[in-house]
Amino acid sequence: MNTNQMDSTQRIKAIGPGMAKGKAKELLDAVEKKYGGVPNSFKTMANAPAVLQGFLGLSGTLEGGVLPFETRYQIAIAVSEINGCPYCLSAFTAIGKGAGMKDETLAMCRIAGSTDPQIDAMLKFAAAIVRERGAVTPEDFQKVKSAGCSDEEIQEIVANVALFTFANYINLVIGTEIDFPLIMPAKRPRLHDPSANVLLGVQGPAT
């Protein structure tokens, strides 16, 4: 797991709505109006208005899709756990709690599980997308189809995985300071650590 959000200074400064100008200010003002505040992640993305606009645009579009809020945020938590992003895991958990999601539901999301068979299949499919970098197996695809998911729902799962991975990567790269109650992902080996090869199923170089 990358712990840069816990042990180093944020790499790109945040820009508050009061300091922003031009397109950045317009976007941050819209965020504040919609949510009643501006999370640190958005303040940091404001350094690159095209990035912030792209994230907000895709997020807003998917809000109007067929997947309901709770399902999308269950996917968000599952994806953030796998990607090892403390900022997003903390933020999406807080948002889910604020919307009335139960602690048991939130905890199960972290292992891509649910007591609802269809949601469980969706979360496991989302997890497979992340782990396999999109190259899911025919079995992965058939499981989510057999759970009753439509073609539209399946494509929105993919789009939401992309959106939340976008958020994970931005916050991991920047080391965004966490402004939500802290939720740490389970410890995970780094891909570039040779000692993790056995765990990841990768054979080390010949000696």
Side-chain angles (χ1 to χ4, degrees):
M1 182 191 69
N2 189 330
T3 57
N4 65 358
Q5 291 167 297
M6 299 299 298
D7 58 16
S8 64
T9 303
Q10 183 168 313
R11 293 167 177 160
I12 298 177
K13 68 178 183 179
I15 301 175
M19 298 172 59
K21 297 179 181 179
K23 187 64 177 179
K25 178 170 177 54
E26 176 187 328
L27 292 167
L28 291 177
D29 285 347
V31 168
E32 189 165 32
K33 182 177 180 181
K34 181 175 182 178
Y35 299 108
V38 183
N40 198 30
S41 179
F42 291 156
K43 292 177 185 177
T44 306
M45 284 188 202
N47 284 281
V51 171
L52 179 55
Q53 185 170 23
F55 180 84
L56 293 173
L58 180 55
S59 180
T61 297
L62 291 174
E63 284 176 8
V66 294
L67 296 182
F69 169 90
E70 184 163 329
T71 302
R72 292 184 64 238
Y73 275 81
Q74 287 175 283
I75 292 171
I77 292 168
V79 169
S80 299
E81 176 69 39
I82 295 169
N83 284 330
C85 181
Y87 186 94
C88 290
L89 190 58
S90 301
F92 295 140
T93 298
I95 293 168
K97 277 190 175 184
M101 291 172 67
K102 296 180 180 178
D103 287 342
E104 310 87 79
T105 299
L106 294 166
M108 287 195 72
C109 295
R110 297 183 61 182
I111 56 171
S114 172
T115 56
D116 181 306
Q118 187 176 62
I119 299 298
D120 187 74
M122 288 180 169
L123 295 179
K124 286 179 169 51
F125 184 64
I129 293 169
V130 178
R131 293 191 177 109
E132 302 304 324
R133 298 178 175 87
V136 296
T137 65
E139 292 77 16
D140 291 327
F141 192 85
Q142 188 54 50
K143 284 177 183 176
V144 77
K145 285 290 289 184
S146 296
C149 292
S150 67
D151 291 345
E152 186 175 11
E153 288 172 322
I154 289 170
Q155 291 189 82
E156 284 196 16
I157 293 170
V158 177
N160 277 283
V161 168
L163 174 71
F164 298 127
T165 298
F166 176 5
N168 295 164
Y169 284 5
I170 281 285
N171 289 303
L172 285 169
V173 167
I174 293 169
T176 310
E177 183 179 342
I178 299 169
D179 50 352
F180 294 92
L182 177 63
I183 304 290
M184 286 295 292
K187 189 174 181 180
R188 296 176 55 81
R190 295 188 181 190
L191 289 175
H192 64 264
D193 183 353
S195 67
N197 285 349
V198 174
L199 292 175
L200 297 170
V202 178
Q203 185 173 355
T207 57

